[in-house]
Amino acid sequence: MTMLIAIYFSILGLVFGSFFNVVALRVPVGKSVINPPSSCGNCGTRLRAMDLIPVASYLVSRGKCRYCGDSLSLLYPAGEAITGFLYLWVVLRFGITPEGGIGLLLVSMTVIVSLSDLKYMRIPNKVLLFFTPLLLLGVGFFPSSPWWHHVLGALLGGGIILIFALRGGMGMGDVKLFALCGLVLGVPELILAFLIACLLGTVVGGGMMLVGRVSRKQPIPFGPWLMIATLIAYGYGSQIIKAYLSLIF
């Protein structure tokens, strides 16, 4: 039964990942996620069902449009595969539980926000407004800690990033995003998530500068690192904190 559930959620993640691609690439530029139907960005040919099979269609076509031969963005299969993997991780980590449901919401928001931020350097308000009431309900009915931990987490999360935003280092989308993450995590998991995000951003950003992929003054999207760090803290935060404290005391 566990294997069947794992397979089901993996496939579900692949399918939802395909839709999340559409949301992430259309919503930031004001386009509908329904119309027009998916088509090749180069030749405009409407894609058929066999062109929209998550990951498989990309592999079979070798990353090119079947109609004009233009190269397809790697973001499409990457978003689908990552969503499938993360959905599988959530169900294996939390099972079919309220915590698992909140985890799936976080994963969904992670994929959409990350793709949007990587593509456009934008975190759409519409995406955050969609997930906010869902996460509020989840945390409200199934809090992982006292309610004031979650409230303080939201205030602290938004406040920390706001300081950087006022200095021009980040955008207001990052502020609202991490406030929402703080609401879910509470304290002290939020602090752990922020430290992990800074570490990831520094390592990846520094590495990209060393290999010449970005310049020193070129802005780098921070939303993906905030969300990845939030997932780590949500899944393993208490264990990481306990392990760290055991080394000190």
Side-chain angles (χ1 to χ4, degrees):
M1 182 61 71
T2 302
M3 179 63 71
L4 292 176
I5 293 175
I7 293 174
Y8 171 77
F9 275 92
S10 297
I11 296 174
L12 188 67
L14 289 172
V15 174
F16 272 91
S18 182
F19 176 68
F20 295 159
N21 281 333
V22 175
V23 175
L25 298 177
R26 291 192 182 189
V27 170
V29 292
K31 293 183 179 180
S32 169
V33 298
I34 302 175
N35 290 308
S38 297
S39 60
C40 173
N42 182 56
C43 65
T45 303
R46 180 173 176 177
L47 302 181
R48 301 176 182 177
M50 63 183 302
D51 302 314
L52 300 173
I53 302 174
V55 179
S57 293
Y58 183 90
L59 295 176
V60 170
S61 66
R62 298 181 181 180
K64 295 183 178 181
C65 174
R66 292 196 307 117
Y67 308 101
C68 67
D70 189 51
S71 296
L72 302 174
S73 173
L74 188 60
L75 284 178
Y76 295 107
E80 295 163 352
I82 291 171
T83 308
F85 171 78
L86 290 177
Y87 268 42
L88 173 62
W89 167 72
V90 167
V91 75
L92 292 179
R93 179 71 181 86
F94 299 103
I96 311 298
T97 63
E99 292 82 2
I102 296 174
L104 291 176
L105 288 174
L106 284 177
V107 164
S108 302
M109 187 168 69
T110 294
V111 174
I112 296 173
V113 164
S114 298
L115 290 174
S116 175
D117 209 11
L118 289 170
K119 179 69 174 180
Y120 302 110
M121 290 286 292
R122 290 182 59 189
I123 299 175
N125 286 329
K126 289 182 179 180
V127 172
L128 299 181
L129 287 173
F130 175 82
F131 283 101
T132 296
L134 299 177
L135 291 172
L136 275 172
L137 287 173
V139 171
F141 283 102
F142 307 102
S144 59
S145 55
W147 66 268
W148 62 269
H149 277 213
H150 295 281
V151 174
L152 182 59
L155 295 174
L156 185 60
I160 291 175
I161 305 301
L162 180 61
I163 294 174
F164 290 94
L166 292 176
R167 295 180 178 180
M170 298 183 192
M172 292 305 296
D174 296 306
V175 175
K176 290 174 275 190
L177 174 66
F178 206 48
L180 188 53
C181 292
L183 175 72
V184 175
L185 293 175
V187 181
E189 281 78 5
L190 172 79
I191 299 174
L192 174 65
F194 178 70
L195 294 175
I196 293 174
C198 290
L199 176 62
L200 291 173
T202 300
V203 171
V204 175
M208 293 178 70
M209 289 180 186
L210 287 175
V211 299
R213 293 295 299 275
V214 296
S215 64
R216 185 174 297 274
K217 295 184 178 180
Q218 182 177 343
I220 299 175
F222 199 58
W225 313 125
L226 290 175
M227 289 309 308
I228 292 172
T230 295
L231 290 180
I232 295 173
Y234 185 75
Y236 308 104
S238 59
Q239 294 93 322
I240 294 174
I241 293 171
K242 288 179 181 177
Y244 176 74
L245 292 177
S246 68
L247 295 176
I248 299 177
F249 301 105

